[in-house]
Amino acid sequence: MSLDIVILAAGQGTRMRSALPKVLHEVAGKSMLGHVIDTARALAPRKIHVVIGHGAEQVRQRLAAEDIHFVLQAEQLGTGHAVAQAMPQVDADKVLILYGDVPLTRVETLAALLQQVNEQQLGLLTVQLADPSGYGRIIRDAAGEVQAIVEHKDASEAQRAIREGNTGILAVPGKRLGEWLGRLSNSNAQGEYYLTDVIAMAVADGLRVATETAAEEMEVLGANDRLQLAQLERYYQLRAARQLMAQGVTLRDPARFDVRGEVQAGRDVLIDVNVILEGKVLIEDGVQIGANCVIKDSILRRGAQVKANSHLDGAELGEGADCGPFARLRPGSRLGAGAHVGNFVELKNAVLGAGAKAGHLSYLGDAEVGARSNIGAGTITCNYDGANKHRTVMGEDVFIGSNTALVAPISLGDGATTGAGSVVTSDVPEQGLAVARARQRVIESWKRPQKQR
Ligand code: UD1
Ligand code: CA
């Protein structure tokens, strides 16, 4: 059975009060439409059609992909009209209709809905609502069979009392859809071509409407304004937090934890409050992450520790390595097993061997530090000459005195030492000592100026 998915994303989203098209607003660091497209992909359709209108060019640019077919709906004449725009390209046994501003529907829910569809039957996703106002209501007969959907604005008082609402998400036999859409009229309270009218047509044609009910309202909630966007964000985050906790991660406070990407975590991981994980983050067993850390596209090996207020991007901490508090590891930072980076240390494209240490206030860029080497406080690699970047390469067991400036390109052999305060401009051999600073003078006759009384 082939499947086409149509995603409606042409609406303006006036209540967002934004220059950005509504469907490009983000939940968990990904546009709402991006979430819907990813969910659609997980259902392995033949084709994904995205109906765009307001901000069409921006949406197209942001989400262009091989498997996505954009359809322009120049004028927004209703959800039925929107689906009709995609129909010339639709060719499948089943058609699923999703919405670019309803980002968090689970793949399992949609898969269950699609199970219901065949030539004799539609699948409709409904939701029980505490306050159904604004929603289309599901009209059932005495036997409980769905007969129609009536929009809130067209509904009678009695119909408005119905709590079962239309999510808008609908799966239909593809062979019939085009014909039903062609018969829609816009003689209703809003003067729109309602997709929902397809239900009554299908029933009149002798088809049955099977329903699935979304387990949680948030799963089918759309974001019309920034408050709803924030509610979706929190729901997403709590769901992500729950998943990680189920896998063996302790979150000190799941309400103060954010995932904006894909996290893989082992067991007995401890994450303190206000941690943000972005992109692809791999966290092995026994890792500890302190408060207020931002960790993006990084790998934390078994037992590694990221202490409070650290910022990692494209970094890897080896087994038992640690960094922070207040460490900044930029792309290409790699700490070997047991290596240590302390406070106010910035690394960029820098590799520290096993057990190497940079405890305080340093910048190591384009650098290689051998195992067990110790970088004194205030050490700076001068890696940039204004035009090019140069490398600093140190062997094992090197000892860099505090406040050394290493002017790259430069290399230091195993066991080399630099004196504190040195500006080192040429290579230092194995076991050698480089001292490159002014000699101290002591002036015993000097008198400190006195204040006049
Ligand atoms: C729709 C349903 C309603 C359901 C509700 C759930 C219809 C007629 N009504 O109402 O039963 O309870 O969703 O939220 O379908 N869109 C287009 N082009 C258009 C019109 C809409 O792309 O011409 C898109 C919008 O961008 C939006 C979605 O379709 O993402 C829903 O449209 P909207 O006008 O908000 O429908 P509702 O009135 O909320
Ligand atoms: Ca709506």
Side-chain angles (χ1 to χ4, degrees), residues 163-228:
R163 294 276 187 83
E164 187 181 9
N166 173 32
T167 64
I169 295 172
L170 179 65
V172 288
K175 303 272 177 309
R176 310 297 293 271
L177 182 60
E179 181 220 321
W180 292 327
L181 291 174
R183 278 158 48 198
L184 290 179
S185 100
N186 65 351
S187 48
N188 51 50
Q190 300 181 76
E192 288 180 6
Y193 295 92
Y194 291 163
L195 175 64
T196 45
D197 286 349
V198 158
I199 297 295
M201 288 180 187
V203 172
D205 284 354
L207 282 85
R208 182 171 178 268
V209 180
T211 55
E212 288 285 330
T213 304
E216 292 179 292
E217 191 179 328
M218 294 304 286
E219 209 192 318
V220 293
L221 186 74
N224 292 308
D225 55 32
R226 293 179 199 249
L227 177 62
Q228 285 173 327

Side-chain angles (χ1 to χ4, degrees), residues 400-412:
I400 304 294
S402 293
N403 220 31
T404 295
L406 297 160
V407 182
I410 194 163
S411 75
L412 297 91

